[in-house]
Every structure is written in C-alpha cells, then in structure tokens.
C-alpha cells in the first residue's frame, strides 16, 4: 500500500470510494470540483489517498486555512476533516488507521492543536458523522484514533403539502404588527445596509457569508428560488430568515429580542412562502435539541443525527 497526496487523475477512484464508504452522502463530480477542488483552502497535500492494486482505495479530505476567513483570521491552530473513507473491499487492513496517522502527524508537525469532524466553513457537506448510517466509523474514530464527540447535530425535514399558517400563529403576527410595530416582509435593497452589519454583530462571519451568497443570487437573476425575510421592530432589524429551493435556514433573532415568538413567526412565514412557490418539502442539516422543539411545531421531523467530533493533537 502507498499513501500519497491527491492527484488530479484520482478523481474517479476517490469518488467511487466516497460513494461506497459514505452511501448516505454521495456527491456528484461537479459538486466535488466546485466545493472541494475550487475551495480556496483545498491543498492536495492535506488529502492523503491510499493506493493499492493500482487504484485509490481510501482517502481523507482535510482542510486548513490557506486564506483568512473574513476578520476571523487564519484559525492557525485548527484543521477540519469533512469526508473520509476506505473502500469496503479493502477494510480491516489498517488502511484507515494509516491514513489518519498520516494526516495527524502532518498537523502536529505544523503545531496545530485541534482537528474536527466536520464543522468546516464555508464548504462542509454534513455536520459530522451520521450516528445511524456509520456507527462503525464512530467506534473507529473513538477507539483507534482518539476522537471525542463534542455534541450532536440534528437534521430535520417537513412536508409542506397543503401548508397553512395556524390561526393562532397568524393572530400573533397580526398583533405584533399592531402592538409592537413588528413587520416581517421580503427583503428589499434598502434593507442591506442595516442587515449585513446586523448579521456580523449578532451571528458572525459565517452567517454573513451564507446570507451574502443567497442575496447575490436573489438580487441577481434567480429570486424565485430564494425567500429572504427581514423582521423589523420600530425600524430596527431584529431578525431574518432565508431559504433556497428545499433548503431552509439559517434564521435568527437578535439576542435581546428572543423568547417573544419572533423566530416562530419568521419560521411560519417563510414556510408559507415556500409552499406558495410549490416547494413541497423543507429541510435543514443542523440544529440542537432546544431548537428542534420549535421546528416540530411547524411539522418538522428528524431525518438524521450527526456526531460532531474532535481530536486534540
């Protein structure tokens, strides 16, 4: 067995391993090229592949910052693994262990102190390791490699067929407009100067980037695919919500305005807009137990659960 850095000729073999090892998370060649190869933090030296019998039979996709992430900087102590796998026909030969030892040794030599699976931004595929689909992988990471589970991320989805805002929620929306001066409406260009600093201050640069990518498209040539709502109270931005095709979120409310039902109103208004565009299913990849209870009120059900894992180097 040979372990070396990824090469351009490896794409077909690597994707085959990806699909065989992670059948719940298959990706297309186009997505691999746009979200992996063209990621500014991609470097082939951080993607070790195992070659046996003249083909790639295992890999790890690891990323470290090559460029600063907005004002968050280089995260020089951290690394992220967003995908890994060994072809089923080549397992139990020490290939996975050798791949992880290779990347861990490299990261330690660079004085990095943490490697996570896999909350990498901007281009993560799933939040972590699916606890139902890949229990053997979780055991391997814990027992052989020394990873620990930081927390669990919940993915949920909702059937929007015949979706209607419940009467009590609509009444709350109407009262908020009359009593609190709260409005929830589609974004306009005039909202941008207030919205973008609001996102950075209260939610951070990754949410800024996520909203920016939606709004570049929304104010470009594809507004039909996107719903972006802004909540204002007495003129000030207090919350927002976004959606593209079937993917819902993220959405958020200013910390000092939470626990007043604003998030619930944003959620239902956005789902109403999705249903009106004949989007009949909504899903998201990542939330926690507390937020899951809110989503359940709107008909969301659990789809998957992921273990977000970390190794201290």
């Amino acid at each position: 067995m040979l372990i070396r850095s990824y090469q351009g000729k490896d794409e077909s073999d690597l994707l085959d391993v990806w699909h065989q090892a992670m059948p719940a998370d298959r990706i297309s060649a186009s997505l691999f090229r746009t979200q992996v190869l063209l990621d500014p933090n991609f470097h082939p030296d951080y993607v070790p592949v195992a070659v046996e019998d003249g083909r790639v039979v295992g890999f790890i996709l690891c990323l470290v910052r090559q460029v600063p992430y907005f004002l968050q900087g280089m995260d020089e102590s951290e690394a992220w693994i967003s995908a890994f796998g060994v072809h089923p026909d080549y397992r139990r030969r020490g290939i996975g262990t050798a791949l992880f030892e290779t990347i861990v040794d490299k990261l330690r030599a660079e004085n990095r102190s943490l490697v996570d699976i896999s909350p990498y931004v901007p281009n993560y595929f799933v939040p972590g390791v699916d606890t139902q689909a890949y229990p053997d992988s979780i055991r391997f990471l814990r027992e052989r490699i020394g990873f620990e589970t930081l927390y669990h991320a919940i993915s949920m989805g909702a059937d929007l067929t015949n979706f209607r805002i419940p009467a009590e929620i609509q009444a709350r929306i109407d009262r908020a407009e009359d009593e609190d001066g709260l409005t929830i409406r589609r974004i306009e260009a005039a909202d941008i100067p207030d919205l973008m600093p609001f996102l950075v201050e209260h939610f951070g640069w990754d949410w800024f980037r996520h909203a920016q990518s939606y709004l570049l498209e929304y104010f470009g040539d594809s507004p039909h695919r996107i719903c972006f709502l802004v909540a204002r109270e007495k003129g000030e931005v207090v919350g927002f919500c976004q959606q593209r095709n079937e993917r819902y979120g993220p959405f958020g409310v200013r910390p000092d305005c939470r626990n007043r039902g604003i998030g619930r109103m944003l959620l239902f208004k956005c789902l109403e807009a999705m249903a009106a565009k004949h989007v009949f299913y909504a899903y998201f990849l990542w939330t926690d137990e507390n937020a899951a209870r809110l989503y359940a009120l709107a008909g969301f059900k659990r789809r998957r659960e992921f273990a977000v894992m970390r190794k201290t180097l």
Side-chain angles (χ1 to χ4, degrees):
M1 180 186 65
L2 169 68
I3 293 181
R4 59 164 171 78
S5 298
Y6 175 84
Q7 298 175 3
K9 66 182 181 180
D10 297 330
E11 179 182 288
S12 178
D13 282 352
L14 187 148
L15 286 175
D16 180 57
V17 175
W18 188 311
H19 297 160
Q20 294 289 336
M22 298 184 292
D25 300 292
R26 296 167 63 90
I27 65 169
S28 65
S30 61
L31 190 63
F32 178 75
R33 294 162 188 169
T34 56
Q35 288 199 198
V36 175
L37 300 182
L38 290 174
D39 187 313
N41 294 314
F42 169 81
H43 193 288
D45 288 348
Y46 291 91
V47 186
V49 298
V51 180
E52 193 166 327
D53 299 329
R55 57 180 288 197
V56 171
V57 298
F59 76 97
I60 293 177
L61 173 56
C62 181
L63 299 113
V64 301
R65 298 238 179 263
Q66 311 287 329
V67 296
Y69 190 64
F70 293 99
L71 297 181
Q72 186 173 307
M74 294 292 287
D75 294 312
E76 294 179 353
S77 65
E78 297 186 46
W80 298 268
I81 293 173
S82 60
F84 65 94
V86 174
H87 193 285
D89 293 344
Y90 290 83
R91 290 179 183 166
R92 305 192 187 284
R93 303 186 190 183
I95 293 173
T97 300
L99 284 165
F100 270 94
E101 288 176 348
T102 297
I103 199 64
V104 165
D105 288 347
K106 180 175 177 57
L107 297 173
R108 281 177 174 154
E110 297 171 356
N111 295 317
R112 299 186 185 274
S113 58
L114 298 172
V115 57
D116 287 350
I117 303 175
S118 59
Y120 163 71
V121 293
N123 288 325
Y124 76 91
F125 296 97
V126 289
V129 184
D130 188 309
T131 58
Q132 296 296 316
Y134 314 119
D136 291 343
S137 295
I138 292 177
R139 282 193 294 271
F140 166 77
L141 291 168
R142 286 176 178 165
E143 297 171 7
R144 299 294 297 274
I145 311 301
F147 277 84
E148 297 179 345
T149 298
L150 291 177
Y151 54 88
H152 288 90
I154 302 166
S155 174
M156 304 181 76
D159 182 354
L160 299 183
T161 304
N162 299 320
F163 179 84
R164 298 288 187 277
I165 296 179
E168 63 273 18
I169 300 295
Q170 186 59 57
R172 178 68 184 89
I173 293 171
D174 295 340
R175 287 198 307 274
E177 292 179 356
D178 295 337
E179 299 173 5
D180 303 325
L182 177 76
T183 60
I184 297 175
R185 56 167 174 74
R186 292 181 181 273
I187 192 169
E188 299 172 356
D191 294 312
I192 295 176
D194 295 334
L195 174 69
M196 304 316 279
F198 166 86
L199 291 171
V200 173
E201 179 180 356
H202 297 292
F203 300 98
W205 284 104
D206 187 47
W207 286 41
F208 173 97
R209 174 202 61 82
H210 204 76
Q212 181 191 49
S213 71
Y214 276 46
L215 293 174
L216 285 169
E217 185 174 345
Y218 184 86
F219 287 106
D221 58 2
S222 299
H224 183 74
R225 298 177 62 219
I226 291 171
C227 175
F228 201 110
L229 302 178
V230 174
R232 284 183 178 269
E233 187 172 74
K234 299 177 181 177
E236 294 187 0
V237 175
V238 295
F240 78 103
C241 182
Q242 62 190 68
Q243 159 267 333
R244 178 192 279 137
N245 293 333
E246 293 183 338
R247 180 111 179 228
Y248 175 83
F251 82 110
V253 176
R254 200 174 74 192
D256 63 320
C257 296
R258 292 172 187 167
N259 300 315
R260 293 171 45 203
I262 296 174
R264 186 178 304 182
M265 290 184 275
L266 281 164
L267 168 62
F268 278 92
K269 290 289 287 185
C270 188
L271 295 178
E272 179 186 51
M274 293 173 70
K277 293 187 293 183
H278 300 284
V279 178
F280 296 121
Y281 189 77
Y283 80 96
F284 56 83
L285 286 175
W286 196 329
T287 195
D288 59 22
E289 290 287 353
N290 289 332
R293 288 191 284 272
L294 168 61
Y295 286 114
L297 295 175
F300 280 85
K301 298 179 180 179
R302 291 175 183 249
R303 298 171 62 243
R304 305 175 70 182
E305 184 171 320
F306 303 93
V308 180
M309 307 187 76
R310 168 171 290 177
K311 179 176 175 63
T312 301
L313 302 177

